[in-house]
Amino acid sequence: MTTEGADIRGDVLESILSHVPLIHILPASHVSKSWNHAVFSSLRYFNRPKPWLFLHCQNSRPPYASSSSVAYDPRSSHWLRIHNKNPSLQYALAIRSSSNSSLLYMLSPSKFSFSFDPFHLRWHHVDPPLVWRTDPVVAMVGRHVIVAGGACDFEDDPLSVEIYDLDARRWDACDAMPAILKDSAASAWLSAAASSKSLYIMEQVSGVMYSFDPTSRIWSGPLDLRHDENIFFSVIGIFGDNLVLVGLLGNSENVKDVKVWEVKGKSFEILEEIAIMPKELVEKLKGEDASLNSIKISSTGDFLYIYNPREPEELVMCEIGGEGIFRWGSLKNPAVSDRSRVAENMVLTCADVGLGDLGKAAESGKVRFSICE
């Protein structure tokens, strides 16, 4: 450390550190006690860590061994490439995700594998659910992993639900999904969101929603969230600790608006419009195709990411700022900058990432980071 470097301290150092990407702040925290204090003070008062968006890509056809990941850190507005050395991530199966969490999972007739830490350093490999499923809804609520619907045609109950208890390390069967969902009991037709206590499942076209409490094993509903007849497609998520509905208005050939509503009330009977996507971002969401049939979202904390699964080159971001002000923006997707890669399987996760998480990743030796050019 030079004499000039040692003289940088106090508010000046904290201000400088507020402009440094989180992955580069980690080494700075080990320079000295005064630098460590400056790092944590800067993160607390100048530029707080924000949830990261992770994009996981793999070959779209078996074998799925080749995989790659990039992450967006909104604190520094940088895309990061994640170089993974973890043998567990040499996927033999298609990888899937849950819309508003860090959960990744793979399912086969012989094994159910899942991981929920931000960088997926640890994978849990357990026996599969008793009912074989090809396209279930999978979500994590507290210490429970819920697997619902998506059963194969030859199974007796396409609506069956099973819960894996992380503490007891076992599967338990519980009441099936509501019968009204029989023709749509798969993740392709349902949107799911999980809070710390409940799982919410909604038909994307009809807007009919049910909730499930894994502790009491009770389903509640139905609730009709299609309060506006102009909504032709919608999804749900957790945004700012609240359940929200994101809807496309108009029709697939002429999307007039993309709106966000907060679902409020003890019985979720109140929908309050909280944000509307700027018109120029709606056009970016469409991509080269003038039509927009559906959207997918990923969210955590105060960040919501919306994308078109058919044209994923552009991601639209919405952040809840101070005093409830919503900030919109768009991100070029570095994972599909080459159009030949659009056919790859791409799933999104969101997670809070702090210095502790980066420290664990560095100590594991399983991942390293570089800023995307």
Side-chain angles (χ1 to χ4, degrees), residues 285-326:
L285 199 62
K286 294 178 181 178
E288 296 181 0
D289 193 343
S291 64
L292 181 60
N293 298 311
S294 65
I295 55 173
K296 289 188 176 182
I297 65 172
S298 188
S299 62
T300 194
D302 293 339
F303 283 82
L304 172 68
Y305 297 92
I306 306 170
Y307 70 102
N308 176 357
R310 294 177 56 186
E311 297 276 349
E313 288 87 349
E314 199 86 25
L315 303 165
V316 174
M317 178 180 69
C318 183
E319 177 188 5
I320 302 177
E323 300 181 352
I325 297 174
F326 291 82

Short mmCIF file of all heavy atoms in Angstrom, two decimals, residues 285-326:
data_model
loop_
_atom_site.label_atom_id
_atom_site.label_comp_id
_atom_site.label_asym_id
_atom_site.label_seq_id
_atom_site.Cartn_x
_atom_site.Cartn_y
_atom_site.Cartn_z
N LEU A 285 -39.83 -4.93 -25.63
CA LEU A 285 -40.23 -6.24 -25.15
C LEU A 285 -40.71 -7.12 -26.30
O LEU A 285 -40.48 -8.34 -26.31
CB LEU A 285 -41.34 -6.08 -24.11
CG LEU A 285 -41.63 -7.24 -23.16
CD1 LEU A 285 -40.42 -7.56 -22.29
CD2 LEU A 285 -42.83 -6.91 -22.27
N LYS A 286 -41.36 -6.51 -27.28
CA LYS A 286 -41.84 -7.28 -28.44
C LYS A 286 -40.68 -7.83 -29.26
O LYS A 286 -40.80 -8.88 -29.88
CB LYS A 286 -42.71 -6.38 -29.32
CG LYS A 286 -44.01 -5.95 -28.68
CD LYS A 286 -44.78 -5.03 -29.63
CE LYS A 286 -46.07 -4.53 -29.01
NZ LYS A 286 -46.78 -3.59 -29.92
N GLY A 287 -39.57 -7.11 -29.30
CA GLY A 287 -38.45 -7.54 -30.13
C GLY A 287 -38.75 -7.32 -31.60
O GLY A 287 -39.48 -6.40 -31.98
N GLU A 288 -38.21 -8.19 -32.45
CA GLU A 288 -38.40 -8.05 -33.89
C GLU A 288 -39.80 -8.48 -34.32
O GLU A 288 -40.26 -8.12 -35.39
CB GLU A 288 -37.34 -8.86 -34.63
CG GLU A 288 -35.92 -8.37 -34.39
CD GLU A 288 -34.90 -9.18 -35.16
OE1 GLU A 288 -35.33 -10.12 -35.88
OE2 GLU A 288 -33.70 -8.88 -35.07
N ASP A 289 -40.45 -9.28 -33.50
CA ASP A 289 -41.80 -9.72 -33.80
C ASP A 289 -42.79 -8.68 -33.29
O ASP A 289 -42.72 -8.25 -32.15
CB ASP A 289 -42.07 -11.06 -33.12
CG ASP A 289 -43.34 -11.74 -33.63
OD1 ASP A 289 -44.15 -11.05 -34.25
OD2 ASP A 289 -43.48 -12.95 -33.41
N ALA A 290 -43.72 -8.28 -34.12
CA ALA A 290 -44.67 -7.23 -33.73
C ALA A 290 -45.68 -7.72 -32.71
O ALA A 290 -46.32 -6.92 -32.03
CB ALA A 290 -45.40 -6.72 -34.97
N SER A 291 -45.82 -9.05 -32.58
CA SER A 291 -46.80 -9.59 -31.65
C SER A 291 -46.13 -9.96 -30.32
O SER A 291 -44.92 -10.13 -30.24
CB SER A 291 -47.48 -10.83 -32.23
OG SER A 291 -46.54 -11.87 -32.43
N LEU A 292 -46.94 -10.06 -29.27
CA LEU A 292 -46.46 -10.44 -27.95
C LEU A 292 -47.52 -11.32 -27.30
O LEU A 292 -48.57 -10.84 -26.88
CB LEU A 292 -46.20 -9.19 -27.09
CG LEU A 292 -45.65 -9.43 -25.67
CD1 LEU A 292 -44.31 -10.15 -25.70
CD2 LEU A 292 -45.52 -8.10 -24.93
N ASN A 293 -47.26 -12.63 -27.27
CA ASN A 293 -48.25 -13.58 -26.78
C ASN A 293 -48.19 -13.78 -25.27
O ASN A 293 -49.21 -14.04 -24.63
CB ASN A 293 -48.06 -14.94 -27.46
CG ASN A 293 -48.27 -14.87 -28.95
OD1 ASN A 293 -49.26 -14.31 -29.41
ND2 ASN A 293 -47.33 -15.42 -29.71
N SER A 294 -46.98 -13.68 -24.70
CA SER A 294 -46.81 -13.99 -23.29
C SER A 294 -45.57 -13.30 -22.75
O SER A 294 -44.73 -12.82 -23.52
CB SER A 294 -46.71 -15.50 -23.07
OG SER A 294 -45.52 -16.02 -23.68
N ILE A 295 -45.45 -13.28 -21.45
CA ILE A 295 -44.26 -12.75 -20.78
C ILE A 295 -43.90 -13.69 -19.64
O ILE A 295 -44.71 -14.48 -19.18
CB ILE A 295 -44.48 -11.33 -20.23
CG1 ILE A 295 -45.72 -11.30 -19.30
CG2 ILE A 295 -44.58 -10.31 -21.34
CD1 ILE A 295 -45.91 -9.98 -18.58
N LYS A 296 -42.67 -13.58 -19.19
CA LYS A 296 -42.23 -14.24 -17.97
C LYS A 296 -41.57 -13.19 -17.09
O LYS A 296 -41.09 -12.16 -17.59
CB LYS A 296 -41.25 -15.38 -18.28
CG LYS A 296 -41.89 -16.58 -18.95
CD LYS A 296 -40.90 -17.74 -19.05
CE LYS A 296 -41.58 -18.96 -19.64
NZ LYS A 296 -40.65 -20.14 -19.70
N ILE A 297 -41.56 -13.45 -15.78
CA ILE A 297 -40.96 -12.49 -14.86
C ILE A 297 -40.05 -13.21 -13.88
O ILE A 297 -40.16 -14.41 -13.66
CB ILE A 297 -42.03 -11.69 -14.09
CG1 ILE A 297 -42.84 -12.61 -13.16
CG2 ILE A 297 -42.94 -10.93 -15.03
CD1 ILE A 297 -43.78 -11.86 -12.22
N SER A 298 -39.16 -12.43 -13.31
CA SER A 298 -38.34 -12.89 -12.19
C SER A 298 -38.21 -11.70 -11.26
O SER A 298 -38.01 -10.57 -11.70
CB SER A 298 -36.96 -13.36 -12.67
OG SER A 298 -36.23 -13.97 -11.61
N SER A 299 -38.35 -11.94 -9.95
CA SER A 299 -38.38 -10.81 -9.03
C SER A 299 -37.86 -11.20 -7.66
O SER A 299 -37.90 -12.35 -7.26
CB SER A 299 -39.82 -10.27 -8.89
OG SER A 299 -40.67 -11.27 -8.34
N THR A 300 -37.37 -10.20 -6.97
CA THR A 300 -37.06 -10.32 -5.55
C THR A 300 -36.87 -8.91 -5.01
O THR A 300 -36.41 -8.01 -5.72
CB THR A 300 -35.81 -11.18 -5.29
OG1 THR A 300 -35.73 -11.54 -3.91
CG2 THR A 300 -34.53 -10.45 -5.67
N GLY A 301 -37.25 -8.72 -3.75
CA GLY A 301 -37.11 -7.40 -3.15
C GLY A 301 -37.81 -6.33 -3.96
O GLY A 301 -38.97 -6.50 -4.36
N ASP A 302 -37.11 -5.26 -4.26
CA ASP A 302 -37.70 -4.12 -4.98
C ASP A 302 -37.43 -4.15 -6.47
O ASP A 302 -37.56 -3.14 -7.16
CB ASP A 302 -37.16 -2.81 -4.40
CG ASP A 302 -37.63 -2.57 -2.97
OD1 ASP A 302 -38.65 -3.18 -2.59
OD2 ASP A 302 -36.97 -1.80 -2.24
N PHE A 303 -37.05 -5.32 -7.01
CA PHE A 303 -36.72 -5.42 -8.43
C PHE A 303 -37.61 -6.46 -9.12
O PHE A 303 -37.82 -7.56 -8.61
CB PHE A 303 -35.25 -5.80 -8.63
CG PHE A 303 -34.31 -4.65 -8.42
CD1 PHE A 303 -33.92 -4.29 -7.14
CD2 PHE A 303 -33.83 -3.91 -9.49
CE1 PHE A 303 -33.06 -3.21 -6.93
CE2 PHE A 303 -32.99 -2.84 -9.30
CZ PHE A 303 -32.60 -2.49 -8.02
N LEU A 304 -38.12 -6.05 -10.27
CA LEU A 304 -38.95 -6.91 -11.10
C LEU A 304 -38.39 -6.89 -12.52
O LEU A 304 -38.19 -5.82 -13.09
CB LEU A 304 -40.40 -6.41 -11.10
CG LEU A 304 -41.39 -7.06 -12.06
CD1 LEU A 304 -41.66 -8.50 -11.64
CD2 LEU A 304 -42.69 -6.27 -12.11
N TYR A 305 -38.13 -8.07 -13.07
CA TYR A 305 -37.62 -8.20 -14.43
C TYR A 305 -38.67 -8.90 -15.28
O TYR A 305 -39.22 -9.93 -14.89
CB TYR A 305 -36.32 -8.99 -14.46
CG TYR A 305 -35.20 -8.32 -13.70
CD1 TYR A 305 -34.98 -8.61 -12.35
CD2 TYR A 305 -34.36 -7.39 -14.31
CE1 TYR A 305 -33.96 -7.98 -11.65
CE2 TYR A 305 -33.33 -6.77 -13.61
CZ TYR A 305 -33.14 -7.07 -12.28
OH TYR A 305 -32.13 -6.46 -11.58
N ILE A 306 -38.95 -8.34 -16.44
CA ILE A 306 -39.97 -8.86 -17.36
C ILE A 306 -39.31 -9.14 -18.70
O ILE A 306 -38.53 -8.32 -19.20
CB ILE A 306 -41.12 -7.84 -17.55
CG1 ILE A 306 -41.68 -7.41 -16.19
CG2 ILE A 306 -42.22 -8.41 -18.43
CD1 ILE A 306 -42.65 -6.22 -16.28
N TYR A 307 -39.62 -10.30 -19.30
CA TYR A 307 -39.05 -10.58 -20.61
C TYR A 307 -40.01 -11.40 -21.45
O TYR A 307 -40.95 -12.03 -20.95
CB TYR A 307 -37.69 -11.28 -20.49
CG TYR A 307 -37.72 -12.70 -19.99
CD1 TYR A 307 -37.59 -13.77 -20.86
CD2 TYR A 307 -37.87 -12.98 -18.63
CE1 TYR A 307 -37.60 -15.08 -20.41
CE2 TYR A 307 -37.88 -14.28 -18.16
CZ TYR A 307 -37.74 -15.33 -19.06
OH TYR A 307 -37.76 -16.63 -18.59
N ASN A 308 -39.76 -11.35 -22.74
CA ASN A 308 -40.54 -12.08 -23.74
C ASN A 308 -39.80 -13.39 -24.02
O ASN A 308 -38.71 -13.36 -24.58
CB ASN A 308 -40.65 -11.22 -25.01
CG ASN A 308 -41.35 -11.92 -26.14
OD1 ASN A 308 -41.73 -13.08 -26.04
ND2 ASN A 308 -41.52 -11.20 -27.25
N PRO A 309 -40.37 -14.55 -23.68
CA PRO A 309 -39.64 -15.81 -23.87
C PRO A 309 -39.33 -16.13 -25.33
O PRO A 309 -38.39 -16.87 -25.62
CB PRO A 309 -40.58 -16.86 -23.26
CG PRO A 309 -41.93 -16.23 -23.25
CD PRO A 309 -41.69 -14.77 -23.05
N ARG A 310 -40.08 -15.52 -26.25
CA ARG A 310 -39.82 -15.74 -27.68
C ARG A 310 -38.74 -14.82 -28.21
O ARG A 310 -38.07 -15.13 -29.20
CB ARG A 310 -41.11 -15.55 -28.48
CG ARG A 310 -42.18 -16.59 -28.19
CD ARG A 310 -43.45 -16.30 -28.96
NE ARG A 310 -43.23 -16.20 -30.40
CZ ARG A 310 -44.16 -15.83 -31.27
NH1 ARG A 310 -45.37 -15.50 -30.85
NH2 ARG A 310 -43.89 -15.78 -32.56
N GLU A 311 -38.57 -13.66 -27.58
CA GLU A 311 -37.58 -12.67 -28.01
C GLU A 311 -36.85 -12.17 -26.76
O GLU A 311 -37.05 -11.04 -26.29
CB GLU A 311 -38.27 -11.50 -28.72
CG GLU A 311 -38.99 -11.87 -29.99
CD GLU A 311 -38.06 -11.91 -31.19
OE1 GLU A 311 -36.91 -11.45 -31.06
OE2 GLU A 311 -38.48 -12.40 -32.25
N PRO A 312 -35.95 -12.98 -26.19
CA PRO A 312 -35.35 -12.63 -24.89
C PRO A 312 -34.13 -11.72 -24.96
O PRO A 312 -33.41 -11.58 -23.97
CB PRO A 312 -34.97 -14.00 -24.33
CG PRO A 312 -34.62 -14.80 -25.55
CD PRO A 312 -35.54 -14.33 -26.64
N GLU A 313 -33.89 -11.09 -26.11
CA GLU A 313 -32.69 -10.25 -26.23
C GLU A 313 -32.75 -9.01 -25.36
O GLU A 313 -31.73 -8.43 -25.02
CB GLU A 313 -32.49 -9.82 -27.69
CG GLU A 313 -32.03 -10.92 -28.61
CD GLU A 313 -33.20 -11.71 -29.18
OE1 GLU A 313 -34.34 -11.52 -28.69
OE2 GLU A 313 -32.98 -12.50 -30.11
N GLU A 314 -33.97 -8.59 -24.99
CA GLU A 314 -34.13 -7.38 -24.17
C GLU A 314 -34.90 -7.74 -22.90
O GLU A 314 -35.93 -8.40 -22.95
CB GLU A 314 -34.90 -6.32 -24.96
CG GLU A 314 -34.74 -4.92 -24.42
CD GLU A 314 -33.51 -4.22 -24.98
OE1 GLU A 314 -33.07 -4.58 -26.09
OE2 GLU A 314 -33.01 -3.31 -24.30
N LEU A 315 -34.38 -7.31 -21.76
CA LEU A 315 -35.05 -7.50 -20.48
C LEU A 315 -35.51 -6.14 -19.97
O LEU A 315 -34.75 -5.17 -20.01
CB LEU A 315 -34.11 -8.14 -19.46
CG LEU A 315 -33.48 -9.48 -19.84
CD1 LEU A 315 -32.31 -9.79 -18.91
CD2 LEU A 315 -34.50 -10.60 -19.76
N VAL A 316 -36.73 -6.07 -19.49
CA VAL A 316 -37.24 -4.82 -18.94
C VAL A 316 -37.19 -4.90 -17.42
O VAL A 316 -37.60 -5.89 -16.83
CB VAL A 316 -38.68 -4.54 -19.41
CG1 VAL A 316 -39.25 -3.31 -18.70
CG2 VAL A 316 -38.72 -4.35 -20.92
N MET A 317 -36.66 -3.86 -16.80
CA MET A 317 -36.46 -3.84 -15.35
C MET A 317 -37.33 -2.75 -14.72
O MET A 317 -37.46 -1.65 -15.26
CB MET A 317 -34.98 -3.56 -15.03
CG MET A 317 -34.65 -3.45 -13.56
SD MET A 317 -32.89 -3.12 -13.30
CE MET A 317 -32.75 -1.44 -13.92
N CYS A 318 -37.92 -3.07 -13.59
CA CYS A 318 -38.69 -2.10 -12.82
C CYS A 318 -38.20 -2.14 -11.38
O CYS A 318 -38.12 -3.21 -10.77
CB CYS A 318 -40.18 -2.41 -12.89
SG CYS A 318 -41.22 -1.21 -12.03
N GLU A 319 -37.88 -0.98 -10.83
CA GLU A 319 -37.39 -0.88 -9.45
C GLU A 319 -38.27 0.07 -8.66
O GLU A 319 -38.63 1.15 -9.14
CB GLU A 319 -35.95 -0.37 -9.43
CG GLU A 319 -35.39 -0.17 -8.03
CD GLU A 319 -34.03 0.51 -8.00
OE1 GLU A 319 -33.55 0.93 -9.07
OE2 GLU A 319 -33.46 0.64 -6.89
N ILE A 320 -38.61 -0.36 -7.45
CA ILE A 320 -39.33 0.53 -6.54
C ILE A 320 -38.30 1.43 -5.87
O ILE A 320 -37.45 0.97 -5.11
CB ILE A 320 -40.10 -0.24 -5.46
CG1 ILE A 320 -41.10 -1.21 -6.10
CG2 ILE A 320 -40.85 0.73 -4.55
CD1 ILE A 320 -41.83 -2.06 -5.08
N GLY A 321 -38.37 2.73 -6.16
CA GLY A 321 -37.42 3.66 -5.57
C GLY A 321 -37.98 4.30 -4.31
O GLY A 321 -38.96 3.84 -3.73
N GLY A 322 -37.35 5.36 -3.89
CA GLY A 322 -37.80 6.08 -2.70
C GLY A 322 -39.19 6.66 -2.88
O GLY A 322 -39.57 7.06 -3.99
N GLU A 323 -39.96 6.67 -1.80
CA GLU A 323 -41.31 7.22 -1.79
C GLU A 323 -42.23 6.54 -2.80
O GLU A 323 -43.14 7.15 -3.36
CB GLU A 323 -41.28 8.73 -2.04
CG GLU A 323 -40.48 9.50 -0.98
CD GLU A 323 -40.48 10.99 -1.24
OE1 GLU A 323 -40.96 11.40 -2.32
OE2 GLU A 323 -40.00 11.74 -0.38
N GLY A 324 -41.95 5.25 -3.06
CA GLY A 324 -42.83 4.49 -3.95
C GLY A 324 -42.74 4.84 -5.41
O GLY A 324 -43.62 4.48 -6.20
N ILE A 325 -41.69 5.54 -5.82
CA ILE A 325 -41.51 5.91 -7.23
C ILE A 325 -40.94 4.70 -7.98
O ILE A 325 -39.98 4.07 -7.54
CB ILE A 325 -40.57 7.11 -7.36
CG1 ILE A 325 -41.18 8.34 -6.69
CG2 ILE A 325 -40.28 7.41 -8.84
CD1 ILE A 325 -40.26 9.53 -6.64
N PHE A 326 -41.54 4.39 -9.14
CA PHE A 326 -41.09 3.25 -9.93
C PHE A 326 -40.15 3.72 -11.04
O PHE A 326 -40.48 4.64 -11.80
CB PHE A 326 -42.30 2.51 -10.52
CG PHE A 326 -43.12 1.80 -9.48
CD1 PHE A 326 -44.06 2.49 -8.73
CD2 PHE A 326 -42.92 0.45 -9.23
CE1 PHE A 326 -44.81 1.84 -7.77
CE2 PHE A 326 -43.67 -0.20 -8.26
CZ PHE A 326 -44.61 0.48 -7.53
#
